[in-house]
């Protein structure tokens, strides 16, 4: 309650000050008695605090995006001091070459993997939200992969999938003699890479779910238990509905993430053997074939696709208020 | 899969850096067209120059500083600083949006030849620089903008012991003999006959350097400038890529190409687990080192030319490595030029690295002794139309000097990608010819 009243007071103060014809009643000498609250600096204080993040946001997000969009209308090769305006030429080229979009099939593997990922993360989040032995330890283990740099993960799993590498040796211990080049053909390569992706990002989903679950008041479980509800019913009727917004957020992240997969396949296979994704293709256009203009247009198209999908998803699954009590 | 955030962020940072750099561009620096002439008096020339290099290893172990010390004995007032760049192509390309990209640099492949005068100071006319090999590669309107660091011959680095145990002592004269040799290696020694380096990719680019070897043709690269279907039957690239295809198709390459590793491959070749790799002659000294470390001797490493003969002789094309250039914005052009000349002619770098000196009169290096002894015919491959060829290559998105299309070739050969070799070549030809028409128009 205390927090509430202090905000009210602050609001009243602001209102009071605004309604008062400031400055007229006080003479020019009143400056000495002025408190900090009336100083003109106070008005710009929030802007001072915002200056740093805004400057960073503008320099590192909006300006680059704006210049990327402007490159997408030119034929720039990335080095030359001259670039020519070509209008929508680059966009026309992208949409008249269907092979540019064929790589989205690869995203299907990652999309399927993210269903698994969300399910696994949800399962562990629910289990570990109850009192269990070594609870924190397991939480740590599950979250750990997300903390590792993506490049390092790529290299680690390159050894893992190597011929006679970790995976093959473990399988040999288990008595399965596998002689399968894991990254050797498109299907198994994509499944392997998507598996790495699940390994890496489950922790993030897990933490999101866990946080949401822990905000559910404990009395609800007690009441449910008294009414004779088992764990499954508690999950269905208490946990699932109350973390719905987080699940829908995870789904959005999963879809946009699947469309723009980059690090893991780029480091592990470089897009060879049918593992090329849209972002890898764009990078290659820009930095291998020096078509910076065309690549920028491709990046803009990807951005628009992701925005569109997110928008459709928000329309289909509106962000309901969760009201448990 | 919440990696959108990281990619978006890193993309934004990269873009912002590029923007910040491009904002610094324009104005200042030297005048375009001013020749970076060699200084007349070594004692007088002064200033500090920054030399960009991709050989980070030589910067770190102090080798280049030793060269600089030698250089200072003749040019006492010039201070040489080195900047070793790991991702040379990618990074220098972005740096070149500014004026301060170093005084001496290696011309990145991404710079269009017509832009050379905007970035580099001319070093002299074609006639003035005729004592150097490969100067046509960096020639624009009769002026030369770069001098090759060195040249290399191309061929197969191989483990002599393994090939001997397989019973092959003479160099194969045809692709079929070569394949039979690899098969013998596989059967009799159990070693991996050929290693593609598929994962790292760039070693596969070396196959392109064989251009010209098939017909002993110094103009082979220039001949690609146009809608000429480079992969048609009998064409140079057809012969070259068919050999790679057959090696993989017949199971003579490593079992899982997707997880290869360049650094370990050197030790494998020296230690006798791998028999053969297609590389430039620059790799011989590295392989000899690796052989020593793996418990062998440098004599285990051999170098054989591409298995094809013209008029009863093997051929080896000499191809230029990076070309050194002087920045048009350099404030110490005479000093920079002095370094380029000294490094090319007097440093002894080419001899030490076992590569072909860019100076025409210099003798062949010891690493190519076998080639010289066996009467291999050397020719300097002309690079006069390389710029036009690169334009077509980029427009077609094939990448003669990029690993991608050969990775696809290998995937096709081992059945990981659909299609036949004929379809694959037909597709490449189609893309090449279409691109040649649009670029030419």
């Amino acid at each position: 309650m205390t927090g509430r009243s202090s905000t009210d007071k602050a609001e009243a103060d602001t209102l009071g000050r605004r309604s008062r014809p400031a400055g007229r009643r006080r003479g020019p000498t009143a400056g000495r008695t002025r408190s900090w609250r009336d100083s003109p600096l106070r008005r710009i204080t929030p802007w001072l605090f915002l200056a740093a993040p805004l400057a960073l946001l503008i320099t590192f997000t909006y300006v680059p995006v704006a210049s990327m969009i402007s490159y997408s209308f030119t034929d720039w090769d990335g080095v030359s001091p001259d670039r020519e305006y070509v209008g929508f030429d680059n966009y026309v080229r992208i949409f008249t070459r269907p092979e540019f979009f064929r790589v989205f099939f690869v995203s299907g593997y990652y999309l399927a993997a993210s269903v698994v990922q969300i399910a696994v993360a949800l399962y562990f989040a629910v289990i570990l939200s109850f009192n269990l032995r070594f609870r924190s330890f397991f939480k740590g283990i599950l979250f750990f992969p997300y903390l590792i740099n993506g490049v390092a993960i790529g290299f680690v799993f390159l050894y893992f999938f190597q011929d006679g590498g970790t995976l093959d040796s473990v399988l040999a211990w288990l008595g399965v003699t596998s002689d399968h080049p894991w990254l050797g053909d498109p299907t198994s390569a994509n499944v392997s890479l998507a598996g790495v992706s699940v390994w890496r990002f489950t922790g993030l989903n897990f933490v999101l779910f866990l946080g949401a679950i822990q905000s559910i008041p404990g009395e609800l479980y007690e009441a449910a238990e008294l009414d004779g509800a088992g764990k499954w019913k508690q999950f269905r009727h208490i946990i699932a509905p109350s973390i719905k917004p987080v699940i829908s957020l995870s789904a959005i992240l999963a879809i946009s993430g699947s469309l723009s997969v980059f690090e893991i396949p780029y480091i592990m296979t470089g897009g060879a053997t049918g593992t090329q994704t849209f972002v890898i293709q764009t990078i290659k256009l820009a930095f291998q074939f020096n078509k910076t203009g065309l690549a920028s247009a491709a990046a803009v198209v990807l951005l628009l696709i992701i925005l569109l999908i997110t928008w459709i998803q928000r329309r289909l699954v509106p962000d309901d208020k969760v009201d448990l009590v | 899969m919440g990696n959108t955030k990281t990619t978006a962020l890193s993309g934004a940072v990269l873009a912002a850096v590029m923007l910040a750099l491009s904002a610094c561009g324009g104005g200042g620096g030297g005048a375009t067209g001013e020749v970076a002439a060699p200084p007349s008096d070594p004692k007088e020339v002064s200033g500090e120059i920054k030399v960009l290099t991709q050989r980070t290893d030589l910067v770190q172990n102090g080798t280049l500083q030793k060269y600089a010390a030698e250089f200072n004995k003749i040019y006492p007032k010039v201070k040489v600083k080195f900047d070793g760049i790991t991702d040379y192509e990618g990074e220098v390309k972005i740096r070149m949006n500014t004026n301060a990209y170093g005084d001496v640099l290696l011309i990145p492949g991404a710079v269009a030849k017509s832009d050379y005068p905007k970035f580099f100071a001319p070093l002299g006319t074609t006639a003035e620089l005729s004592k150097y090999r490969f100067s046509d590669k960096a020639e624009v309107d009769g002026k030369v903008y770069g001098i090759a660091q060195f040249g290399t011959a191309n061929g197969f680095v191989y483990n002599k012991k393994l090939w001997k145990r397989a019973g092959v002592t003479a160099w194969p004269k045809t692709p079929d003999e070569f394949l039979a040799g690899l098969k013998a290696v596989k059967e009799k020694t159990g070693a991996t006959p050929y290693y593609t380096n598929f994962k790292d990719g760039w070693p596969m680019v070396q196959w392109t350097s064989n251009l010209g070897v098939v017909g002993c043709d110094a103009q082979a690269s220039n001949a690609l400038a146009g809608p000429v279907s480079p992969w048609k039957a009998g064409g140079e690239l057809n012969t070259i890529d068919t050999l790679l295809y057959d090696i993989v198709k017949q199971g003579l390459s490593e079992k899982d190409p997707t997880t290869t590793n360049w650094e370990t491959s050197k030790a494998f070749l020296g230690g006798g687990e791998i028999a053969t790799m297609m590389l430039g002659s620059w790799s011989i000294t590295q392989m000899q080192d690796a052989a020593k470390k793996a418990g062998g001797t440098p004599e285990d490493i051999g170098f054989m030319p591409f298995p094809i003969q013209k008029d009863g002789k093997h051929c080896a094309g000499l191809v230029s490595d990076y070309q050194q250039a002087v920045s048009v914005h350099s404030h110490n052009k005479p000093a920079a030029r002095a370094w380029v000349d000294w490094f090319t002619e007097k440093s002894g770098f080419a001899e030490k690295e076992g590569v072909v000196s860019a100076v025409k009169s210099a003798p062949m290096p010891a690493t190519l002794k076998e080639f010289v002894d066996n009467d291999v015919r050397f020719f300097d491959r002309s690079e006069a139309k390389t710029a036009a060829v690169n334009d077509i290559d980029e427009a077609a998105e094939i990448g003669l000097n990029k690993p991608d299309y050969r990775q696809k070739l290998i995937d096709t050969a081992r059945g990981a990608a659909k299609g036949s070799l004929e379809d694959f070549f037909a597709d490449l030809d189609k893309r090449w010819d279409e691109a040649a028409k649009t670029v030419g128009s």
Side-chain angles (χ1 to χ4, degrees), chain A residues 32-297:
Chain A
R32 226 161 15 122
T33 56
R34 246 191 214 170
S35 70
W36 163 242
R37 190 166 281 178
D38 301 312
S39 145
L41 260 181
R42 188 173 182 255
R43 274 174 187 236
I44 60 165
T45 310
W47 293 105
L48 285 178
F49 276 107
L50 276 175
L54 275 181
L56 290 172
L57 186 70
I58 290 169
T59 342
F60 293 109
T61 307
Y62 294 111
V63 175
V65 168
S67 52
M68 181 183 78
I69 292 172
S70 79
Y71 293 153
S72 75
F73 293 106
T74 66
D75 64 351
W76 195 36
D77 67 356
V79 200
S80 176
D82 318 308
R83 63 189 79 143
E84 233 170 85
Y85 177 78
V86 293
F88 281 91
D89 219 29
N90 287 326
Y91 291 92
V92 172
R93 265 200 259 173
I94 286 174
F95 286 105
T96 48
R97 285 175 60 182
E99 75 264 24
F100 276 141
F101 295 97
R102 209 165 292 152
V103 289
F104 279 124
F105 283 113
V106 173
S107 299
Y109 287 97
Y110 294 89
L111 202 59
S114 58
V115 174
V116 176
Q117 176 185 317
I118 290 177
V120 169
L122 193 58
Y123 176 75
F124 282 111
V126 171
I127 289 191
L128 292 178
S129 66
F130 296 114
N131 259 328
L132 277 183
R133 200 178 294 185
F134 302 126
R135 199 169 134 208
S136 310
F137 173 70
F138 284 116
K139 277 188 206 166
I141 284 190
L142 279 166
F143 187 60
F144 176 66
Y146 185 68
L147 298 173
I148 308 176
N149 182 295
V151 179
I153 290 177
F155 281 115
V156 166
F157 275 92
L158 210 49
Y159 286 104
F160 183 81
F161 287 120
Q162 215 167 30
D163 181 28
T166 322
L167 184 56
D168 282 347
S169 351
V170 169
L171 287 176
W173 288 336
L174 297 174
V176 189
T177 38
S178 119
D179 195 20
H180 186 76
W182 297 102
L183 303 176
D185 68 272
T187 313
S188 90
N190 277 315
V191 170
S192 304
L193 294 176
V196 176
S197 180
V198 169
W199 181 83
R200 181 174 180 203
F201 290 109
T202 301
L204 178 72
N205 285 122
F206 166 75
V207 166
L208 289 178
F209 293 143
L210 194 72
I213 292 173
Q214 282 181 343
S215 70
I216 304 170
E219 308 92 70
L220 283 178
Y221 299 120
E222 277 173 35
E225 252 165 53
L226 284 178
D227 287 342
K231 291 276 187 241
W232 168 245
K233 285 201 167 154
Q234 287 180 23
F235 172 75
R236 251 205 83 198
H237 298 290
I238 301 174
I239 299 179
S242 55
I243 63 169
K244 212 177 129 201
V246 179
I247 295 180
S248 111
L249 171 78
S250 298
I252 292 177
L253 285 180
I255 291 177
S256 62
S258 305
L259 292 177
S260 57
V261 186
F262 171 62
E263 286 151 291
I264 289 169
Y266 190 73
I267 289 154
M268 290 182 62
T269 63
T273 325
T275 57
Q276 180 140 299
T277 66
F278 195 81
V279 181
I280 294 181
Q281 181 177 271
T282 309
I283 293 263
K284 284 192 172 160
L285 277 180
F287 296 102
Q288 245 183 35
F289 301 113
N290 297 321
K291 296 181 173 177
T292 306
L294 188 65
S296 300

Side-chain angles (χ1 to χ4, degrees), chain B residues 298-413:
Chain B
E299 282 75 48
D300 293 345
I301 304 296
F303 195 58
M304 67 167 97
F306 194 85
I308 206 144
Q309 286 196 326
K310 174 98 178 168
D311 307 329
K313 272 187 179 179
H314 282 288
C315 271
L318 296 176
V319 191
S320 89
D321 193 75
Y322 271 123
Q323 307 249 339
Q324 312 165 82
V326 174
S327 161
V328 74
H329 304 294
S330 169
H331 296 292
N332 294 309
K333 287 201 182 81
R337 177 63 194 275
W339 169 262
V340 171
D341 285 357
W342 181 85
F343 189 75
T344 318
E345 289 178 35
K346 307 212 174 80
S347 67
F349 180 81
E351 275 173 285
K352 202 164 159 245
E353 296 287 314
V355 289
V356 181
S357 168
V359 183
K360 277 180 187 164
S361 55
M364 282 291 161
T367 44
L368 290 175
K369 190 171 175 295
E370 274 183 280
F371 274 34
V372 177
D373 290 352
N374 284 293
D375 278 342
V376 172
R377 245 168 75 190
F378 288 104
F379 63 90
D380 290 1
R381 201 173 77 199
S382 166
E383 303 275 357
K385 289 189 184 164
T386 298
V389 175
N390 284 348
D391 284 349
I392 299 172
D393 184 42
E394 278 171 15
E397 287 165 26
I398 289 174
L400 282 181
N401 294 308
K402 303 288 183 300
D404 297 65
Y405 98 83
R406 285 213 174 78
Q407 285 182 329
K408 181 113 189 282
L409 178 78
I410 289 178
D411 279 350
T412 312

Side-chain angles (χ1 to χ4, degrees), chain B residues 224 226 230 389 392-393 398 400 428-436:
Chain B
L224 298 182
V389 175
I392 299 172
D393 184 42
I398 289 174
L400 282 181
L428 288 175
D429 276 339
K430 193 175 138 240
R431 276 157 65 190
W432 186 274
D433 294 351
E434 274 170 16

